[in-house]
Structure formats: structure tokens, C-alpha cells
Amino acid sequence: MEFKDVVYGRRSVRQFKDTPVDDKILKKIVDAALWAPSGVNLQPWYYVVIRTPEKMTRLKEMMSVVSDRDKPHLEERFLAHPEVVKTTLSFISTLGGAPAVVLAFRDKPDYTWALLDEGVVQSVAASMENLVLSAYDHGVSSCWMTAANQAHMTKDLRDEFAPGHGELVGIIALGYNAAEEAPKAPKRKADKFVLI
């Protein structure tokens, strides 16, 4: 697949088939994430790929708490669109039935000696971008989520799935799109860059 096809073709998918993603493909997807650029070459990421039924059940229990905590924020944000609130809360708590979910952590609690906290988060985010693009290149759909951050559950998820590592930066659901077609691309906002 051409790089431009990956960039312009990737979509956020929120309903997945129950078909598992092969471990070899998961490893290739995560390996691409590990090749992202990072400030001071810290490579400050740590990934946990959840795919077993036991761990997935526990993650969904925790995501149900996230959904409950996010409900007031979503109701305020989408006041005129209650159906959006309903489907979003359902996705958060069920993860859309994704057979694999990636938790992205900053690898240490404190990097301030080498790089400002914002730089660490930017590095992990660059790595996560590699991950979702690699997934699409391998025919795997994804959805990058920040709901746990908004619900202040990052430390809880760290303590449960990656003790000893830094806080959660984001969650990526992975699997095969349950819909016949890819979601339509959202309209791009105008006036988002300037050449000077």
C-alpha cells in the first residue's frame, strides 16, 4: 500500500468483528510504533496488548467506570445529539467488541530530568500514530481513545495492567471492521495551516 493511501484511507472504527488479530500481525503493528521519533531518543513508551478473554473482561469492567464518569461531559458536549452520547458511551464500555486493545503508557513516572512532560507525551503520541497507520496497512481497523484520560482513570489502568510504568497516554482498539464499508471521512476543517 502506498503511504498516501494509508494516511488518507485510515478511519476510526467503533464496531469490530469478533475475529481475532493474529499475534504475528499484532507484533508487526506494535513494532512499527517502536520506530517512531522521540525527544532525546528516550523512546518513552510502553505498550500492553490485551487480547485474552480474562484481561479483556477486566478492561471492559474498568471502561464501564470510564463510561459512567464521562457521561456528564458527553451530555454537555452533545446536548442536541443524545444518540451520539448513547453510541459513544456504549463504545467506551464495550470497546466495540475489539478482539485486541493496546494500552500506551509513558514508560516511567518521571522524565523531567531529560525532557519536559509534554515532550514525553508528544513522543508517545507519535508512536501511537505509527501504530494506527501500521494497523491500517495490515488490514486492521483501529480507534484511538482518550476517554480514560478525561475520566481520570490513567493511574488505575496503569496499576492494573502496567505497574511500575508511567501513566496511560491513550488506548487503541484493534480489530476488523464489522461494517461492510469503511466509515466516511470526516470533513477537514479549513484554515489549519499557512505557508509563510
Side-chain angles (χ1 to χ4, degrees), residues 35-87:
W35 281 87
S38 62
V40 201
N41 194 32
L42 285 176
Q43 302 176 35
W45 40 71
Y46 183 79
Y47 288 102
V48 176
V49 182
I50 296 175
R51 66 202 198 329
T52 63
E54 302 79 26
K55 294 295 184 183
M56 194 65 77
T57 296
R58 180 62 184 132
L59 178 60
K60 286 179 182 177
E61 289 170 357
M62 296 182 81
M63 293 306 289
S64 288
V65 174
V66 169
S67 178
D68 290 343
R69 289 185 183 180
D70 275 351
K71 185 176 181 182
H73 162 74
L74 290 169
E75 287 174 335
E76 180 181 333
R77 169 81 169 83
F78 297 104
L79 188 61
H81 303 282
E83 71 285 354
V84 171
V85 175
K86 182 179 178 183
T87 57

Side-chain angles (χ1 to χ4, degrees), residues 95-113:
L95 300 163
V101 177
V102 179
L103 306 180
F105 297 89
R106 27 179 299 148
D107 194 31
K108 295 180 184 177
D110 182 14
Y111 279 104
T112 53
W113 57 269

Side-chain angles (χ1 to χ4, degrees), residues 8 37 48-49 60 95 104 124 127 134 174 195:
Y8 292 110
V48 176
V49 182
K60 286 179 182 177
L95 300 163
V124 177
S127 178
S134 178
L174 292 174
L195 298 175

Side-chain angles (χ1 to χ4, degrees), residues 171-182:
I171 297 173
I172 299 172
L174 292 174
Y176 299 101
N177 189 0
E180 293 295 319
E181 297 178 8

